[in-house]
Amino acid sequence: MALTVRYPNIDYSRVRAHWAPSRAFSHHRNATSFIPTPIEPWLIRILQRARPLVPASEARLLKDMDDFIGQESQHYRQHRLFNKHLIAQGYPALADIEKELEDDLERLLQNRSLKFLLAYADGFESLGAVAGWVWFEKSASWLEGADQDLTDLWKWHMAEEFEHRHVCFDIYHAIYGRGWWNAIWNGYFCRIYGLLFAVRHLNRGYMERMYAYLAETDRAAMTPDEQAAFAQDEKRFRRFLLRTALPLLANFLPWYNPSRKRTPRGLTEYLRRFEPGGDRSRHALRQPASV
């Protein structure tokens, strides 16, 4: 699957915090939106640091790295636009937590080895590969009646995460996985450590805090009946999250390779909407000049 840098045309001016019928689903995705804004520029800096270490013979990988950076730059831009609108709707503390994550990632960048940073990056990117499957094959019921702009933001983003799922994995192995010992120690054990660290750092450290803040802010304005309904909604959504997290266990297999993952149904066709000439692209196809 070749990588393509796309430029979505999405209007966030009318988007509301509760953009899907399920408040729990909306707020989980809203909280998740504050991860890309600090982490995408951080990933770009890691790739820029790693690029001189990738062998010149890896021409395809070097091209993928350039396209990865282009895609992540757009992910950062789109989520930054949405996040500004969300903060303005009565959730100012999200900006403070987002800044905490930015500072935390900067400390990691300054104090940890490139091997660790790439293992973290690969662990984070492997979450996106699973999310692509969830959005395209498991989320239809949650998206019935949802705002189309936010649906498009997330499906475009997660489709591209699936599209470039192999890049950090391939960089890590090209630099640190050569030779049988490195293939075992770095290619498996250190990679798994990076995955576990990324999951705990982002989910427990930031995602759960941001979701809790969104939910508690809403609860303060709810009636007792509304609070009870929201609690049931949260239980249903938590069960969904547990079920759809199971494919992540494949990462623990010694022969795991993200390039071998099956492309989710409808993903490739959906991405064409964001390419030149598509209805969600900022770049329309140029028509040939008349003679």
Side-chain angles (χ1 to χ4, degrees), residues 17-31 211 214 237:
H18 311 123
W19 53 273
S22 166
R23 191 183 296 250
F25 174 83
S26 296
H27 273 337
H28 184 272
R29 302 323 187 197
N30 291 341
Y211 177 84
L214 288 161
F237 185 65

Side-chain angles (χ1 to χ4, degrees), residues 5-65:
V5 181
R6 303 171 182 86
Y7 302 88
N9 182 24
I10 300 175
D11 180 11
Y12 301 105
S13 61
R14 291 174 294 178
V15 165
R16 295 295 173 260
H18 311 123
W19 53 273
S22 166
R23 191 183 296 250
F25 174 83
S26 296
H27 273 337
H28 184 272
R29 302 323 187 197
N30 291 341
T32 306
S33 184
F34 284 80
I35 299 297
T37 42
I39 209 168
E40 306 293 28
W42 185 76
L43 290 171
I44 290 170
R45 292 169 69 188
I46 291 171
L47 262 67
Q48 290 170 337
R49 187 179 294 185
R51 187 182 179 87
L53 303 179
V54 176
S57 59
E58 298 279 2
R60 174 63 182 271
L61 178 56
L62 291 167
K63 173 65 167 58
D64 284 345
M65 291 172 72

Side-chain angles (χ1 to χ4, degrees), residues 147-202:
D147 180 274
Q148 191 59 50
D149 286 313
L150 263 294
T151 299
D152 282 341
L153 167 67
W154 279 110
K155 292 189 76 171
W156 156 74
H157 183 174
M158 293 302 106
E160 288 196 345
E161 290 296 327
F162 185 88
E163 187 177 60
H164 69 225
R165 65 197 180 279
H166 63 283
V167 176
C168 288
F169 179 91
D170 290 347
I171 297 168
Y172 180 79
H173 283 267
I175 298 174
Y176 298 110
R178 295 180 180 274
W180 69 269
W181 173 247
N182 287 330
I184 295 171
W185 179 249
N186 292 335
Y188 184 74
F189 291 104
C190 294
R191 177 180 67 82
I192 294 301
Y193 173 70
L195 168 65
L196 294 174
F197 189 100
V199 169
R200 181 175 177 80
H201 183 231
L202 294 174

